Amino acid sequence: MVRDNSDNMGQPPKFKVLTRANIEKAPEWNRLSAEIQESVKTVSTVLPFRVNQYVLDELIDWDNAPDDPMFQLTFPQRGMLSDEHYKAMRTLVRNGAEKAEIDETANRIRLQLNPHPAGQLTHNIPTVDGEQLPGVQHKYRETALFFPSAGQTCHAYCTFCFRWAQFVGMNDLKFAAKEASQLRKYLERHPEITDVLITGGDPMVMKAKFFGAIVDEIIKVDSVRTVRIGTKSVAYWPQRFVSDNDADDMLRQFERIASAGKHVAVMGHYNHPVEISTPVAEECVRRIRSTGANIRMQSPIIRHINDDANTWAELWRKGTQLGCIPYYMFVERDTGAQRYFELPLVRCWEIFREAYQRIPGTARTVRGPSMSCFPGKCHVLGITEVGGQKAFILEYLQARDPSLVRQPFFAKYDHAATWYDDLKPLTKADEKFFTYPEPAPTQTVSLTLDREPTFIESN
Ligand SMILES: *Cc1c(COP(=O)(O)O)cnc(C)c1O
Ligand code: SF4
């Protein structure tokens, strides 16, 4: 039996969220030094902080905090703000400043933290009948992303997450919500889209009936072959598919998609093997797979959290053992966190290669390290010498211009490079991989929701 987090023994564990406002109430809080406590309280005024009782009780190893990877993954760290920003905010917190003053300073700091990388906000938003669909992004020909309005939060927040700008209530930065019927219209007019990726936040924070409303529309579109669901719930709250009161209803929705002849691909965001090793996490995988869905595993490689080949090898081995399919290792663009998580590309590639060498062919379905940058998904294949010059070998796994996909090209070797922007073409022939046409400007139309978003707090 899975450990019960509720006071009522024998009842299913209830989802209990902890944030800056109530983290002191967690029994584990007292295991942190006063200095760490203060840094959590200070940094979480600027960056989102949300954890839940399952993560605290089952995933974090408190004997190892603050270095523990799951602690680093969920608790804001001092090094995530510049010294200047940190001290300014700490002074306000120490002096018990008013909320308005703290918020004003927090917003000023946030605006300096590059919250929307890779043209996310302005360049990939499609239109139907002249209306923008801000809840839809269509960057690669075959795959459209859908951000349902009711899925714009998560069961806990990852400290490295670039989507943090969506969580902090800055309306001009937040991606707007979107209705499923407008998504369907868009899909019907774009039969080249075979894959719909429902993402967030985390769409699995939605009630099954909200998710069902999306399913109702998507299954009507014959050209859609695969419905992907991007989710971290399988790691942060596997009870979503095991013991939540609509867990079975959610699984029924997966079955409905499968019965309509489409593949359900759960894109499970697993950062560390501990997340897929608890009894409830294993049960979650079994239950999802029993619907006919597959689980693909993807994660960024992040300093302090999983910058180690054994961690990756074990994640892929364990996942494969449970029938999951290792899919992507991403390079995370360091946004919002003062280079705290940054790893040189060469280091990412070394860790990938070392881990890949240690796993069987059944787990070598994984690709990476890959950067999601403006032109596409840029895969670091390795390092070589070309005409006596050291170089990165790269390719696009995905590209706005599909003709660029799977053509090897070269960039000058740079030991310190951490992102595509740092790279320079090696030769004239490589330049086309570093240039791209500017996208056409899009018009802005505001949309209204026909219902309020339902967030998990209201459970
Ligand atoms: C990664 C990604 C996809 C999916 O790409 P696949 O290689 O098919 O998994 C789709 N859209 C965007 C914007 C992406 O970043
Ligand atoms: S679960 Fe996904 S969207 Fe949510 S904080 Fe983590 S990385 Fe970001």
Side-chain angles (χ1 to χ4, degrees), residues 120 124 137 139-140 143-145 195 197 228 267 298 327-328 330 367 372 377 397-398:
Q120 289 270 352
N124 308 319
Q137 285 180 18
K139 179 170 174 178
Y140 305 126
T143 306
L145 268 53
D195 284 42
L197 170 49
R228 305 194 206 181
M267 312 305 287
Q298 54 185 23
Y327 191 64
Y328 272 136
F330 293 117
R367 293 165 298 164
S372 291
K377 276 192 167 60
L397 294 168
Q398 281 287 7

Side-chain angles (χ1 to χ4, degrees), residues 29-332:
W29 179 250
N30 296 322
R31 301 193 58 175
L32 299 172
S33 69
E35 193 188 338
I36 299 286
Q37 289 179 347
E38 181 175 61
S39 66
V40 171
K41 284 295 223 175
T42 300
V43 181
S44 61
T45 58
V46 178
L47 299 173
F49 170 45
R50 176 189 180 96
V51 70
N52 68 60
Q53 200 65 49
Y54 168 73
V55 174
L56 296 180
D57 292 349
E58 309 282 336
L59 301 185
I60 294 173
D61 174 2
W62 291 92
D63 291 334
N64 193 20
D67 298 330
D68 177 68
M70 295 304 298
F71 182 81
Q72 292 281 329
L73 177 61
T74 52
F75 279 72
Q77 309 292 325
R78 173 172 181 156
M80 292 170 60
L81 296 183
S82 70
D83 223 39
E84 181 202 333
H85 287 157
Y86 182 80
K87 285 180 176 153
M89 191 51 93
R90 187 180 60 186
T91 304
L92 293 183
V93 171
R94 278 188 181 168
N95 297 344
E98 296 281 320
K99 186 174 180 309
E101 195 184 350
I102 289 183
D103 287 350
E104 195 194 316
T105 303
N107 274 330
R108 193 162 41 75
I109 297 173
R110 284 174 198 144
L111 287 170
Q112 295 173 42
L113 297 176
N114 183 27
H116 283 288
Q120 289 270 352
L121 192 61
T122 51
H123 294 303
N124 308 319
I125 301 171
T127 57
V128 163
D129 298 335
E131 250 192 307
Q132 269 204 338
L133 308 184
V136 179
Q137 285 180 18
H138 188 191
K139 179 170 174 178
Y140 305 126
R141 189 172 55 199
E142 290 81 12
T143 306
L145 268 53
F146 177 47
F147 298 82
S149 59
Q152 296 308 311
T153 185
C154 310
H155 290 99
Y157 291 154
C158 310
T159 42
F160 64 77
C161 179
F162 72 84
R163 293 180 188 173
W164 60 272
Q166 294 173 67
F167 302 144
V168 288
M170 296 175 74
N171 281 330
D172 52 330
L173 288 175
K174 188 169 172 168
F175 288 94
K178 196 63 223 87
E179 287 202 76
S181 66
Q182 285 171 297
L183 169 70
R184 174 173 56 80
K185 258 196 231 163
Y186 186 77
L187 296 172
E188 282 167 350
R189 290 180 200 186
H190 292 271
E192 74 277 15
I193 298 173
T194 58
D195 284 42
V196 177
L197 170 49
I198 306 170
T199 182
D202 193 324
M204 294 292 101
V205 304
M206 268 187 272
K207 290 291 195 190
K209 65 171 189 262
F210 278 76
F211 186 71
I214 298 170
V215 173
D216 291 346
E217 298 294 328
I218 292 179
I219 60 178
K220 290 178 191 154
V221 186
D222 287 340
S223 44
V224 171
R225 295 169 188 254
T226 295
V227 178
R228 305 194 206 181
I229 299 155
T231 184
K232 176 95 194 158
S233 60
V234 290
Y236 277 160
W237 186 245
Q239 292 83 348
R240 177 73 195 89
F241 303 97
V242 176
S243 57
D244 274 6
N245 57 21
D246 64 348
D248 289 349
D249 296 342
M250 186 59 94
L251 295 174
R252 292 299 84 76
Q253 297 301 339
F254 290 9
E255 284 172 355
R256 280 181 72 212
I257 303 171
S259 305
K262 302 182 193 309
H263 175 43
V264 182
V266 172
M267 312 305 287
H269 178 188
Y270 290 105
N271 303 111
H272 193 279
V274 71
E275 297 171 326
I276 197 171
S277 301
T278 65
V280 66
E282 293 187 9
E283 180 62 12
C284 164
V285 169
R286 279 191 286 272
R287 298 191 99 218
I288 289 173
R289 294 191 65 235
S290 75
T291 68
N294 274 335
I295 301 175
R296 287 175 176 76
M297 312 169 78
Q298 54 185 23
S299 166
I301 177 166
I302 308 275
R303 191 153 64 95
H304 307 289
I305 295 171
N306 58 17
D307 54 334
D308 160 77
N310 277 332
T311 300
W312 284 92
E314 184 50 24
L315 177 64
W316 294 332
R317 276 188 216 115
K318 179 76 195 189
T320 303
Q321 180 184 359
L322 295 173
C324 301
I325 304 163
Y327 191 64
Y328 272 136
M329 174 200 275
F330 293 117
V331 180
E332 186 75 6

